[in-house]
Amino acid sequence: MSGITETVAVDEHHDHKPKGFTRWLYTTNHKDIGSLYLIFSLVMFFIGGTMAMVIRLELFQPGLQFVEPHFFNQMTTVHGLIMVFGAVMPAFTGLANWMIPMMIGAPDMALPRMNNWSFWILPFAFLILLSSLFMPGGGPAFGWTFYAPLSSTYSSDSTALFVFSVHIMGISSIMGAINVIVTIFNMRAPTMTWMKMPLFVWTWLVTAFLLIMVMPVLAGAVTMVLTDKYFATSFFDAAGGGDPVLFQHIFWFFGHPEVYIMILPAFGIISSIVPTFARKPLFGYASMVYATGSIALLSFLVWAHHMFTTGMPVFAELFFMYCTMLISVPTGVKVFNWVATMWRGAMTFEAPMMFALAFIVLFTIGGFSGLMLAITPADFQYHDTYFVVAHFHYVLVTGAVFSIMAAAYYWLPKWTGYMYDEKLAQWHFWCSLISVNLLFFPMHFVGLAGMPRRIPDYALQFADFNALISVGGFLFGLSQLLFVWVVVKCARGGVKATAHVWEGSHGLEWEVPSPAPYHTFTTPPEVK
Amino acid sequence: MSNSYEKYYVPAQSPWPIVGAVALFLIAVGAGNYINDITYQRTGFGGYLLFAGIVTLIIMLFGWFRNVIDESMSGLYSQQMSRSFRLGMSWFIMSEVMFFMAFFGALFYGRMIALNWLGGGGNNASTFAVLWPEFQASWPLLKTPGGTETQAMPATGLPMINTALLLISSVTLHFAHTAIEQNKRGQLKLMLLFTLILGFSFLSLQVYEYVHAYRDLGLTLASGFYGSTFFMLTGFHGVHVTLGAIILFFIFLRVLKGHFTPENHFGFQAAAWYWHFVDVVWLCLYVFVYVL
Amino acid sequence: MPLNMTQGVSDISQQVYNLHMTIFWICCAIGAVVFGLMFWSIFRHRKSRGVTPAQFHESTKVEVIWTSIPVVILILMAIPATKTLIAMEDTTEADITVLITGSQWKWHYEFLDHDVSYYSLLATPKEQINNRFAKDPNYLLEVDRPLVIPTDKKVRFLMTSDDVIHSWWVPAFAIKKDANPGFINETWTRVEEPGIYRGQCAELCGKDHGFMPIVVIAKTPEDFATWVATEEKRNAEAKAEEQALLAMNMSLEELMTVGERTYLGHCSACHQPSGQGLPGIFPALKGSQMALKDMAGHIDIVLHGKSGTAMQGFAKQLSLKEIAAVITYERNAWGNNTGDLVQAADVNAALQGKGD
Ligand code: HEA
Ligand code: HEA
Ligand code: CUA
Ligand SMILES: [Cu+2]
């Protein structure tokens, strides 16, 4: 099995890489696992994106053209689940695996075998979820929020599989988060003090904390759905003394911190990239750290802003409205600090910086619509319309996904040892930027005009805008093929990258050669 | 941070995680199908897959832990490594706490809010007047709005004995811990054995209580919110006690084999933490499910 | 298409609109400042202009300033929002109350102060949805029997559901309230202008969530009174006819015609027009044991539904005649050919039997 003698014999000066596919199956190397996560997440992004294309195709024109309503609902549901749990979260975990040990001067993640396990259960979870689409009765069709009793009493047979696949995703996230926390607490190079840690490490530390706090709650929620459906419990059934709204409280207690799980690492990435390309230290490092913490703490107090229409008592609505609004403050601090970092810097605009700049503007737009949603009386009009869909795609696609692309361009030379093709990357950026706005900006208007979300067909007045949105969607989807091209090209060769890669780069990850050796920092480095 | 840096042991490769991944896959697919099989009262392959998955998982646990124990015994682990284990275990327990919080949260919400509303409280006067005019809100919920009736599980008697059993087991386990630190092998073995016996007695009594609930009290999973929370909370707790007891059992075997030193006994400690955590959960449970 | 939120036709909806515009403009202003500074920096402080980067990276003063200013702005937003919200939730002193019940996939309206209650279903023909006929201007926003309310009266809505969560949304009233099964939510409106107002179910409620629209007609109090009177009369007549039917036997053909119509209107969404259901979620009726053998069970399940499943009870949705017809239809269509006839009287007997 893992031969002890063999491992002891590993020569640290020699870059020993195991060969063959068992390298990937058995690996305990944070860089290998990081790559696996990243590749997996890219595959999931394409699968989830393909489902989005089905959605956009059906919504291209009024009337039912391509799919049945029941199948449409499955597409919406699985698109949301795949993008959230399959694309964005694993991408961030992949980045954490690759970068955190390098950034803090650790030889690897703290618990390498568990790290492998966290990864390899994920493909299985999604295999289950995706194959449930082919079951009689179809896959999950109750939205990624799986509100009971639609997901319990009124759902199809595949629900049990859905529940268990979510359990596995949860286990994976929790183990991943434990690994990150332990690594950061215990594996920092001795001179890497807390307030010297790169912000990406800080934001991930907080993210991991959020994950540990809320993923188990999600597990509880799916478990109650399972027992309500199959074992006659009545958590969400008024006739038995339960309450369907209880489900929503539990779900959103998970769900809202979850959305910050998907944005805090992004903040960390942007906080790494902007100083590099502005050639100026990050403005307000300490306040960035405190802002991250405040966002995380506040995120536990705002969950019911997703439930304003459920008929909560007024005082509860007011409480959640105020707390939600407050989150704008620490988030604003971050935006202001980024702008201040650029101020009087000496900027260049390589692809990572372009994505970072787009992130700042477009995420803020998404944040503004979030703030509007927080205003309860107005939310009565916005809720469950395309205005909400516009909001969360701005924060998720032009937020989280853009940050991931920025990170990919930023660190690709470090990972592969080659510079990516800048010209192609700029093409990718501009195509994405234009098409993504064509895709998501008009959604604000159809939402305000009254188009509900999660419908396969709509009234005639929404027709023109939906056609436009669909075209934007197709273009954005095609633009992502450019991304794959750039990545594959870069992995296969090109101009050799230096250790520093970027003129303005700072931090331990830029001290090691490119590509980063299989084992880095087997002895801890000195932090300046 | 440790001042003197020792080399951190990074195992080169391990087949166990992928075995574990396959195991979870089989369990999930198996259980998912099995549940539908029982719902439709048909025979299918679900049960077999589930069984295969569990067997695989057990094999994986054995293999994985054997590796870890071997590595630990051959002195590959540094102080820093054992801190990683400790931190990892504490955060794992934190996640378990949050899992129970979901169910406790449901219980509190149901008792304090949903029940009150069904009975016409808050902004729900019409809920009561129009939908459930006959419903009387009280906890324990002995008659649901839909009319299902049940009896409550009293706090005295068996549950009280169980509380005592678990509390004492926590104490004996603590003594075992002090014994390990003072290298008193005899006391260690004895105290561990006591803990195990207490744990298994608790479980047997719990099974007895369930039978009593189903047979005599009409208290079942299906008897409304009270039954739901009662069985889900005590049930998940019971699963954890079972797990904890199995872990302690293996720790006991390792003690018999002479593992663990006063300085180096993370395996023991992790099991002990887990056991104490399960105890604390029981205390909350006893207070909120049985007494109040 | 209007590019903005509707101003609506009630005082509250107007307030909501104003609130929406206020926060919108505030966000635009903040955005203009922040993005303005950022783009200024991008143009001026670029390396290609030969600048040397400054090295400042901290200022507690600035941080405090840009923490406090947003707080003040937020407070300014919160004040009107709080006022509007409190007004919206005040359902006291209503002139008239309507109980709205959602179910898969239709709305039921019941006037608690009058003897009027009915279902309201999508009226857009299937052929338009399947693109075989041209689409009407109010495609998907048309129902067979709209809700009618009086203008200038405080109308209170009680919201609940028979199965999953639905949400009753009429943008012109700025009302969106979830209909939760087993609970009742309250909301209200006071409409100023007579007119036809349209909305949709706003909470994902299963397959046909996109096909359960809402149409409300606001009439002057006088017209409303007339409407209520005719409806009450119609109700009474329907009940009388029901009684008369009990004594009559209908022929197989008649039952099959009425039955098919009823089936397509109420049952086929789940069990499919072919009677084959959707395996794994909706059971087939074609060749099912119940439809072939167990007649009593068949009548019972159609009347009362089956708890714990999506099968709803139709006792209060359909007339005795329709129920008798649809059961007959199910027992004889798609090759089920049992030859069984079920009459209104049989259904009534089953209903009464259950009653004692
Ligand atoms: C990455 C994910 C992400 C992020 C970061 C956010 C951020 C925010 N979200 Fe969003 N949200 C989602 C993902 C996210 N959201 C998703 C997925 C849903 C839908 C789920 C579903 O139903 O399927 C949702 C839904 C959602 C709703 C429910 C809508 C409804 O269903 O009716 C609400 C309501 O309050 C809300 C609010 C907010 C707020 C206030 C923020 C804030 O954090 C934003 C803060 C940022 C800014 C405000 C911009 C920058 C600030 C400044 C420049 C400072 C100055 C500004 C002011 C003082 C105004 N969100
Ligand atoms: C991080 C999360 C994330 C991401 C990245 C996306 C990305 C996209 N989303 Fe997603 N979306 C959600 C999270 C996300 N979404 C969530 C949580 C919901 C709510 C679900 C629910 O209601 O339950 C939702 C719902 C949602 C809806 C509403 C559905 C409904 O209410 O019925 C729509 C509709 O347009 C949509 C569209 C898109 C599009 C076009 C993209 C695009 O950005 C995708 C682009 C990517 C690709 C297209 C793949 C790559 C390219 C190819 C495969 C090449 C081939 C391309 C062509 C043939 C053109 N999404
Ligand atoms: Cu009813 Cu959606
Ligand atoms: Cu939220």
Side-chain angles (χ1 to χ4, degrees):
Chain A
M1 317 279 100
S2 102
I4 295 156
T5 39
E6 178 205 69
T7 29
V8 175
V10 170
D11 186 351
E12 6 173 330
H13 304 291
H14 203 261
D15 216 22
H16 171 96
K17 273 196 195 100
K19 299 259 146 39
F21 76 96
T22 52
R23 162 173 176 197
W24 302 102
L25 286 184
Y26 296 170
T27 185
T28 51
N29 180 284
H30 72 105
K31 299 188 183 79
D32 280 354
I33 296 175
S35 306
L36 284 172
Y37 266 114
L38 289 170
I39 294 165
F40 173 75
S41 116
L42 189 62
V43 172
M44 283 296 137
F45 177 66
F46 271 74
I47 297 181
T50 307
M51 290 172 183
M53 295 300 107
V54 174
I55 295 172
R56 284 322 323 168
L57 201 61
E58 181 56 55
L59 293 177
F60 186 61
Q61 282 192 328
L64 292 178
Q65 282 89 16
F66 300 98
V67 296
E68 289 296 309
H70 187 56
F71 187 72
F72 182 91
N73 289 345
Q74 295 173 45
M75 286 294 109
T76 298
T77 306
V78 182
H79 161 70
L81 288 168
I82 293 226
M83 286 302 200
V84 168
F85 294 104
V88 172
M89 288 170 67
F92 282 136
T93 317
L95 293 171
N97 260 293
W98 252 102
M99 303 318 297
I100 288 177
M102 287 215 277
M103 285 177 155
I104 62 175
D108 204 295
M109 295 293 276
L111 303 161
R113 270 178 292 229
M114 190 174 84
N115 203 12
N116 176 317
W117 204 26
S118 320
F119 172 75
W120 274 109
I121 60 182
L122 263 191
F124 287 111
F126 283 91
L127 189 67
I128 297 174
L129 182 66
L130 285 171
S131 53
S132 79
L133 285 173
F134 300 99
M135 279 183 63
F142 27 64
W144 83 284
T145 50
F146 59 103
Y147 281 8
L150 184 60
S151 61
S152 53
T153 314
Y154 298 87
S155 63
S156 65
D157 291 347
S158 63
T159 307
L161 288 172
F162 159 80
V163 167
F164 292 124
S165 87
V166 171
H167 272 143
I168 298 184
M169 295 172 204
I171 297 174
S172 165
S173 299
I174 291 171
M175 292 196 301
I178 291 179
N179 230 326
V180 167
I181 291 202
V182 177
T183 306
I184 297 174
F185 266 92
N186 195 30
M187 306 285 287
R188 278 172 296 134
T191 42
M192 174 62 76
T193 57
W194 287 108
M195 291 316 258
K196 273 192 199 159
M197 276 182 355
L199 262 171
F200 181 68
V201 180
W202 261 115
T203 49
W204 240 112
L205 178 67
V206 176
T207 304
F209 170 74
L210 289 180
L211 278 168
I212 291 177
M213 296 298 284
V214 302
M215 291 311 288
V217 176
L218 174 67
V222 283
T223 307
M224 289 182 228
V225 164
L226 184 82
T227 57
D228 261 22
K229 180 171 173 67
Y230 292 100
F231 301 107
T233 56
S234 28
F235 288 104
F236 311 130
D237 176 13
D243 183 352
V245 175
L246 167 60
F247 171 84
Q248 299 178 32
H249 282 289
I250 304 175
F251 179 83
W252 288 114
F253 182 84
F254 146 80
H256 188 81
E258 166 70 17
V259 309
Y260 291 105
I261 288 167
M262 292 189 283
I263 206 67
L264 290 182
F267 291 164
I269 291 165
I270 303 306
S271 306
S272 308
I273 292 178
V274 170
T276 300
F277 294 94
R279 294 171 178 71
K280 190 165 157 278
L282 182 68
F283 189 85
Y285 173 90
S287 73
M288 285 296 224
V289 172
Y290 302 139
T292 311
S294 325
I295 294 175
L297 291 183
L298 277 174
S299 77
F300 287 111
L301 300 177
V302 302
W303 75 85
H305 65 215
H306 297 271
M307 305 164 52
F308 285 141
T309 61
T310 56
M312 288 183 294
V314 194
F315 73 87
E317 291 181 326
L318 288 173
F319 171 81
F320 287 110
M321 169 167 87
Y322 298 149
C323 288
T324 306
M325 293 171 77
L326 265 187
I327 292 204
S328 312
V329 176
T331 317
V333 167
K334 293 199 159 260
V335 174
F336 302 141
N337 278 324
W338 290 324
V339 175
T341 307
M342 288 180 236
W343 191 255
R344 293 191 42 219
M347 272 184 271
T348 52
F349 302 95
E350 289 88 341
M353 184 62 164
M354 291 311 279
F355 274 100
L357 292 175
F359 173 97
I360 298 175
V361 173
L362 299 177
F363 167 78
T364 303
I365 292 179
F368 286 152
S369 56
L371 182 70
M372 295 172 76
L373 291 167
I375 308 292
T376 313
D379 181 68
F380 291 156
Q381 293 282 44
Y382 308 138
H383 176 68
D384 266 337
T385 66
Y386 265 76
F387 191 81
V388 179
V389 179
H391 157 66
F392 67 72
H393 282 95
Y394 263 87
V395 282
L396 281 170
V397 179
T398 59
V401 173
F402 268 32
S403 82
I404 292 165
M405 306 221 158
Y409 286 124
Y410 187 51
W411 285 310
L412 256 180
K414 179 58 61 187
W415 299 336
T416 63
Y418 302 107
M419 295 305 289
Y420 60 85
D421 184 334
E422 183 64 44
K423 198 152 161 210
L424 266 181
Q426 292 287 343
W427 268 99
H428 170 227
F429 171 73
W430 285 104
C431 289
S432 298
L433 181 75
I434 294 166
S435 58
V436 87
N437 283 293
L438 200 60
L439 164 59
F440 294 124
F441 205 73
M443 284 189 183
H444 291 111
F445 300 117
V446 273
L448 289 175
M451 177 165 161
R453 60 192 280 207
R454 296 164 165 173
I455 54 173
D457 193 7
Y458 47 84
L460 296 183
Q461 79 236 40
F462 308 123
D464 300 345
F465 267 62
N466 267 291
L468 192 70
I469 292 170
S470 290
V471 170
F474 302 143
L475 291 178
F476 182 69
L478 289 176
S479 313
Q480 302 324 307
L481 295 176
L482 281 173
F483 179 65
V484 181
W485 185 10
V486 182
V487 172
V488 172
K489 202 172 156 199
C490 179
R492 299 180 57 175
V495 184
K496 284 250 175 243
T498 60
H500 259 87
V501 182
W502 311 108
E503 193 188 17
S505 48
H506 282 285
L508 287 178
E509 81 260 40
W510 307 110
E511 309 281 316
V512 299
S514 308
Y518 200 56
H519 295 288
T520 36
F521 302 127
T522 35
T523 47
E526 196 59 37
V527 184
K528 286 171 289 256
Chain B
M1 292 276 79
S2 65
N3 316 330
S4 63
Y5 186 84
E6 304 165 75
K7 190 167 149 35
Y8 196 84
Y9 174 70
V10 180
Q13 287 205 317
S14 171
W16 298 119
I18 188 82
V19 174
V22 173
L24 286 190
F25 174 69
L26 291 175
I27 291 178
V29 178
N33 282 295
Y34 185 55
I35 286 182
N36 278 310
D37 289 347
I38 29 184
T39 317
Y40 290 114
Q41 296 171 351
R42 62 178 182 216
T43 43
F45 58 92
Y48 300 107
L49 281 187
L50 178 59
F51 182 72
I54 293 174
V55 171
T56 317
L57 191 73
I58 292 175
I59 295 175
M60 172 279 233
L61 287 172
F62 266 100
W64 189 326
F65 279 107
R66 160 148 316 143
N67 277 178
V68 172
I69 293 167
D70 287 350
E71 287 159 9
S72 166
M73 301 298 287
S74 53
L76 284 171
Y77 289 172
S78 59
Q79 277 304 306
Q80 193 186 10
M81 180 61 118
S82 100
R83 240 188 345 262
S84 284
F85 283 146
R86 266 162 238 264
L87 276 166
M89 188 68 195
S90 345
W91 285 102
F92 168 67
I93 290 179
M94 185 68 210
S95 78
E96 290 269 41
V97 170
M98 290 312 291
F99 181 73
F100 276 100
M101 280 299 284
F103 290 90
F104 275 113
L107 173 68
F108 296 146
Y109 181 94
R111 283 181 65 165
M112 325 282 289
I113 298 175
L115 209 59
N116 180 20
W117 286 353
L118 287 166
N123 54 358
N124 274 261
S126 313
T127 301
F128 173 70
V130 179
L131 299 178
W132 314 108
E134 256 133 62
F135 177 61
Q136 281 184 334
S138 68
W139 189 265
L141 179 63
L142 299 184
K143 185 165 181 216
T144 65
T148 313
E149 289 188 53
T150 179
Q151 288 173 47
M153 181 63 73
T156 50
L158 206 146
M160 212 134 115
I161 301 175
N162 258 346
T163 311
L165 288 181
L166 269 196
L167 283 183
I168 299 172
S169 80
S170 240
V171 176
T172 53
L173 190 61
H174 179 73
F175 284 142
H177 190 204
T178 40
I180 218 175
E181 280 175 340
Q182 295 158 8
N183 210 7
K184 295 186 189 149
R185 309 297 294 188
Q187 188 190 340
L188 169 61
K189 283 175 201 159
L190 192 68
M191 284 301 156
L192 256 184
L193 192 64
F194 275 155
T195 313
L196 275 172
I197 294 172
L198 288 166
F200 282 110
S201 331
F202 171 89
L203 282 173
S204 326
L205 286 182
Q206 197 70 358
V207 171
Y208 178 80
E209 183 185 80
Y210 277 14
V211 174
H212 172 61
Y214 262 80
R215 249 203 341 234
D216 311 330
L217 301 181
L219 175 58
T220 69
L221 270 175
S223 48
F225 197 77
Y226 176 66
S228 309
T229 47
F230 176 83
F231 281 106
M232 292 300 272
L233 275 164
T234 55
F236 273 116
H237 176 264
V239 171
H240 282 78
V241 177
T242 315
L243 267 179
I246 294 174
I247 297 173
L248 276 183
F249 176 69
F250 281 102
I251 293 292
F252 184 60
L253 291 187
R254 288 187 63 189
V255 167
L256 293 185
K257 280 178 89 178
H259 290 191
F260 304 125
T261 61
E263 299 77 39
N264 212 344
H265 51 263
F266 169 73
F268 175 89
Q269 207 169 26
W273 282 349
Y274 196 73
W275 194 256
H276 292 313
F277 149 72
V278 169
D279 269 4
V280 173
V281 172
W282 176 263
L283 276 186
C284 299
L285 230 150
Y286 185 64
V287 173
F288 292 116
V289 176
Y290 290 91
V291 179
L292 291 182
Chain C
M1 185 185 79
L3 288 183
N4 202 352
M5 184 190 282
T6 169
Q7 306 205 16
V9 288
S10 68
D11 177 42
I12 288 283
S13 70
Q14 185 64 46
Q15 286 186 38
V16 169
Y17 172 80
N18 292 339
L19 204 55
H20 159 69
M21 288 317 281
T22 316
I23 43 179
F24 171 68
W25 287 118
I26 292 180
C27 288
C28 287
I30 300 175
V33 174
V34 178
F35 302 152
L37 287 171
M38 183 172 139
F39 282 111
W40 173 266
S41 182
I42 288 175
F43 286 117
R44 297 301 297 268
H45 309 139
R46 43 168 68 220
K47 195 185 167 203
S48 54
R49 289 172 54 106
V51 292
T52 40
Q55 287 303 317
F56 64 85
H57 59 85
E58 218 164 25
S59 162
T60 313
K61 196 159 78 193
V62 195
E63 301 285 351
V64 171
I65 292 173
W66 65 39
T67 310
S68 3
I69 294 181
V71 173
V72 175
I73 300 178
L74 291 176
I75 294 175
L76 291 181
M77 287 184 191
I79 294 169
T82 307
K83 281 194 189 134
T84 307
L85 185 63
I86 289 174
M88 288 174 114
E89 299 287 335
D90 174 18
T91 52
T92 54
E93 289 168 35
D95 300 309
I96 164 171
T97 301
V98 187
L99 174 64
I100 303 180
T101 312
S103 63
Q104 284 176 329
W105 292 277
K106 49 192 165 265
W107 294 101
H108 181 258
Y109 299 114
E110 181 177 353
F111 288 79
L112 295 188
D113 325 76
H114 306 280
D115 187 19
V116 175
S117 74
Y118 52 86
Y119 278 90
S120 173
L121 274 86
L122 173 75
T124 301
K126 269 258 174 303
E127 288 77 9
Q128 291 191 14
I129 297 175
N130 294 331
N131 312 306
R132 270 183 281 138
F133 293 178
K135 297 179 172 44
D136 293 335
N138 283 316
Y139 175 68
L140 292 188
L141 297 177
E142 205 75 85
V143 298
D144 56 351
R145 298 181 75 184
L147 171 65
V148 180
I149 56 167
T151 51
D152 288 319
K153 291 264 189 311
K154 185 164 183 175
V155 184
R156 182 169 71 132
F157 300 111
L158 305 184
M159 235 55 95
T160 185
S161 160
D162 278 340
D163 38 48
V164 300
I165 303 174
H166 304 265
S167 191
W168 199 80
W169 180 31
V170 179
F173 308 160
I175 288 183
K176 184 184 285 139
K177 203 66 154 181
D178 288 2
N180 298 325
F183 287 83
I184 287 188
N185 278 330
E186 302 192 11
T187 180
W188 66 277
T189 190
R190 185 190 291 273
V191 180
E192 273 132 35
E193 295 154 45
I196 302 179
Y197 306 106
R198 294 172 200 275
Q200 283 178 267
C201 175
E203 179 63 61
L204 176 62
C205 51
K207 189 166 71 65
D208 286 348
H209 158 63
F211 306 91
M212 55 183 291
I214 295 154
V215 180
V216 183
I217 303 183
K219 294 187 182 210
T220 57
E222 301 75 52
D223 289 353
F224 177 75
T226 333
W227 177 82
V228 168
T230 29
E231 285 299 309
E232 283 183 327
K233 187 153 154 256
R234 187 155 76 155
N235 259 359
E237 280 167 4
K239 273 192 195 129
E241 195 195 352
E242 212 41 346
Q243 286 307 313
L245 258 177
L246 288 182
M248 278 171 25
N249 274 341
M250 296 201 293
S251 71
L252 179 63
E253 270 127 76
E254 204 184 344
L255 282 167
M256 288 297 276
T257 329
V258 180
E260 178 165 18
R261 195 177 62 227
T262 315
Y263 182 82
L264 292 177
H266 293 84
C267 318
S268 66
C270 297
H271 296 292
Q272 304 301 305
S274 63
Q276 285 168 328
L278 289 176
I281 176 158
F282 303 123
L285 299 177
K286 181 179 176 184
S288 89
Q289 284 308 301
M290 185 174 278
L292 292 177
K293 305 216 172 83
D294 181 11
M295 176 160 354
H298 195 170
I299 298 180
D300 180 72
I301 198 171
V302 175
L303 280 176
H304 304 291
K306 182 172 176 193
S307 69
T309 70
M311 179 65 192
Q312 48 188 290
F314 289 88
K316 81 181 169 132
Q317 300 186 35
L318 298 174
S319 67
L320 295 175
K321 173 175 144 190
E322 284 167 324
I323 292 180
V326 84
I327 295 175
T328 309
Y329 177 75
E330 288 170 0
R331 301 181 79 81
N332 294 286
W334 325 294
N336 276 358
N337 301 339
T338 56
D340 293 341
L341 288 194
V342 179
Q343 299 291 352
D346 303 328
V347 179
N348 191 45
L351 201 56
Q352 300 312 322
K354 190 91 175 181
D356 337 306

